[in-house]
């Protein structure tokens, strides 16, 4: 069997922007392809070289787009969803234990959960399949946590560990604000943008990395307050810009290395710097008493990224 690599036939629907997907087509009908073949975790450049390999052992044959069976995709996505859900529960339990044992303060615990949850959730996206439904399976994770926050926020049940590790004062009602908006934004980014667009990646990075570090640095080193907002500081805002920028570039590199999109890095660095600046300015405004940062920061990042990246 020889593999030939060529672009999608012109009759195919246009590839989403930034998709560098080149369909691997086999010389015989896809129906003859039998798994196992490895999922899209293999970086695309490697797939290109594999595509030209004269013969490949069956177990090393890359999946052609759409070559996985529906049942295979379903199994992969269900397993990935269960694994990431378990990861979410373990993360909160870990920080609850650390707080309970006074290893870290409750405020730091909440912020570390804020930084790590969304970034680790986004980092898990490549373990989901190439199916159209994959993003919906992935969004089940923040959805289940959304329900968990709501039932605990209304004290229908009481999960002390959850309340302690993600609230400021240990009041269950707090779960219905910052944490709830946070998981709703993760659902939005996963469903609308998924791993095919820099927009969702940057928005999650700014909400988790940028806004998360601003609190930690701002509380500890924020003596110099902003002239227009005495609740925010130069240290907090500068750290939000810098860390949000670095985390955004890092996550874009991650998805690019796995072949989900290819970016012109000079232009990307400029665009991400602009997005980080806009998000940092918005986060510093007194409006955050009206609109939670977990809404304003990702939304303004989505808007700015959509305008600058065109997707
Ligand atoms: C503490 C959180 C938000 C508070 O925001 P703020 O008020 O400080 O601005 C984050 C709440 C996280 C939530 C309880 C759990 C979310 C889990 C996530 C969707 C999946 C993580 C999976 C990964 C593998 C650990
Ligand atoms: N730009 C910023 C953001 C937060 N902070 C500090 O972090 C604390 C919490 O910030 P925040 O109200 O935005 O926290 P979250 O809404 O993100 O949980 C503020 O009261 C400030 O002490 C800062 O100094 N500068």
């Amino acid at each position: 069997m020889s593999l030939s690599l060529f672009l999608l036939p012109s009759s195919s629907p246009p590839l989403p922007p930034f998709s560098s997907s080149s369909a691997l087509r086999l010389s015989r009908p896809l129906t003859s392809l039998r798994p196992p073949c490895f999922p899209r975790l293999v970086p695309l450049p490697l797939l290109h070289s594999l595509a030209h390999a004269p013969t490949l052992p069956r177990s090393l044959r890359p999946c052609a787009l759409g070559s996985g069976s529906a049942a295979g995709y379903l199994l992969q996505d269900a397993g990935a969803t269960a694994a990431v859900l378990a990861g979410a529960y373990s993360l909160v339990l870990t920080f609850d234990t650390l707080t309970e044992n006074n290893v870290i303060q409750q405020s730091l615990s909440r912020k570390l959960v804020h930084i790590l949850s969304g970034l680790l959730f986004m980092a898990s996206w490549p373990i989901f399949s190439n199916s159209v439904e994959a993003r919906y399976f992935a969004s089940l994770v923040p959805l289940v946590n959304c329900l968990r926050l709501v039932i605990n926020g209304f004290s229908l049940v009481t999960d002390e560990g959850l309340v302690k590790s993600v609230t400021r004062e240990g009041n269950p009602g707090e779960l219905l604000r910052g944490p709830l908006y946070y998981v709703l934004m993760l659902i939005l980014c996963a469903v609308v943008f998924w791993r095919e667009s820099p927009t969702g990646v940057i928005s999650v990075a700014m909400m988790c990395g940028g806004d998360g570090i601003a609190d930690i640095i701002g509380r500890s080193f924020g003596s110099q307050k902003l002239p227009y907002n005495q609740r925010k500081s130069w240290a907090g805002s500068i750290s939000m810009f810098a860390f949000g920028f670095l985390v955004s570039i890092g996550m874009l590199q991650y998805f690019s290395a796995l072949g989900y999109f290819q970016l012109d890095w000079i232009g990307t660095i400029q665009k991400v710097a602009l997005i980080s600046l806009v998000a940092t300015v918005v986060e510093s405004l007194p409006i955050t008493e009206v609109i939670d940062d977990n809404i304003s920061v990702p939304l303004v990042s989505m808007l700015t990224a959509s305008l600058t990246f065109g997707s």
Side-chain angles (χ1 to χ4, degrees):
M1 172 198 290
S2 68
L3 290 172
S4 60
L5 172 70
F6 50 88
L7 293 176
L8 288 166
S10 55
S11 58
S12 298
L15 287 172
F18 306 102
S19 166
S20 56
S21 308
S22 306
L24 298 181
R25 290 285 187 269
L26 304 176
S27 55
R28 50 196 171 103
L30 289 181
T31 47
S32 61
L33 179 73
R34 285 188 298 281
C37 59
F38 30 87
R40 188 58 180 277
L41 277 178
V42 178
L44 211 60
L46 175 55
L47 276 179
H48 285 183
S49 56
L50 286 175
H52 293 289
T55 56
L56 280 174
R58 183 175 297 282
S59 60
L60 283 180
R61 286 188 198 132
C63 291
L65 289 181
S67 66
S69 65
Y73 281 155
L74 181 63
L75 198 59
Q76 181 181 348
D77 289 332
T81 303
V84 181
L85 271 173
Y89 186 81
S90 306
L91 181 81
V92 171
L93 185 64
T94 299
F95 279 97
D96 173 40
T97 306
L98 292 174
T99 309
E100 278 290 314
N101 293 306
N102 297 316
V103 175
I104 55 173
Q105 293 175 344
Q106 184 169 348
S107 60
L108 181 58
S109 163
R110 180 170 60 83
K111 274 308 160 185
L112 290 176
V113 172
H114 179 123
I115 292 172
L116 293 173
S117 295
L119 294 181
L120 291 174
F121 170 59
M122 186 161 61
S124 75
W125 288 357
I127 69 172
F128 291 85
S129 79
N130 293 333
S131 72
V132 172
E133 295 77 19
R135 68 180 70 195
Y136 303 108
F137 275 94
S139 62
L140 284 176
V141 177
L143 180 62
V144 166
N145 281 276
C146 174
L147 298 175
R148 192 179 171 204
L149 291 169
V150 169
I151 61 175
N152 278 276
F154 285 112
S155 301
L156 302 177
V157 295
T158 304
D159 179 343
E160 287 293 335
L162 178 69
V163 173
K164 285 201 185 79
S165 50
V166 300
T167 63
R168 288 187 176 87
E169 282 96 33
N171 168 11
E174 286 180 61
L175 297 175
L176 301 175
R177 292 191 295 275
L180 182 61
Y181 305 144
Y182 179 99
V183 295
L184 289 174
M185 284 298 140
L186 291 180
I187 294 170
L188 181 67
C189 288
V191 169
V192 174
F193 300 104
W194 193 219
R195 57 197 182 198
E196 273 99 29
S197 157
T199 297
V201 172
I202 295 167
S203 302
V204 173
M206 288 310 298
M207 178 179 73
C208 300
D211 185 38
I213 203 70
D215 184 321
I216 295 174
I217 301 297
R219 284 180 194 272
S220 306
F221 308 102
S223 55
Q224 296 296 316
K225 301 301 182 186
L226 295 175
Y228 52 87
N229 185 352
Q230 291 303 302
R231 283 192 66 250
K232 302 289 173 81
S233 66
W234 287 105
S237 293
I238 291 168
S239 61
M240 174 171 177
F241 171 78
F243 196 66
F245 172 80
L246 292 174
V247 171
S248 296
I249 292 292
M251 293 309 292
L252 289 176
Q253 288 268 7
Y254 172 73
F255 283 98
S256 179
L258 288 174
Y260 290 104
F261 39 72
Q262 287 175 350
L263 297 166
D264 153 42
W265 286 107
I266 301 299
T268 296
I269 286 170
Q270 294 165 346
K271 291 169 184 174
V272 172
L274 175 64
I275 296 162
S276 300
L277 178 63
V278 171
T280 299
V281 169
V282 168
E283 189 274 344
S284 72
L285 298 174
I287 60 162
T288 54
E289 278 74 48
V290 178
I291 307 174
D292 193 282
D293 293 348
N294 293 340
I295 296 174
S296 61
V297 168
L299 287 186
V300 77
S301 299
M302 284 177 212
L303 176 63
T304 314
S306 297
L307 292 173
T308 51
F309 282 95
S311 81

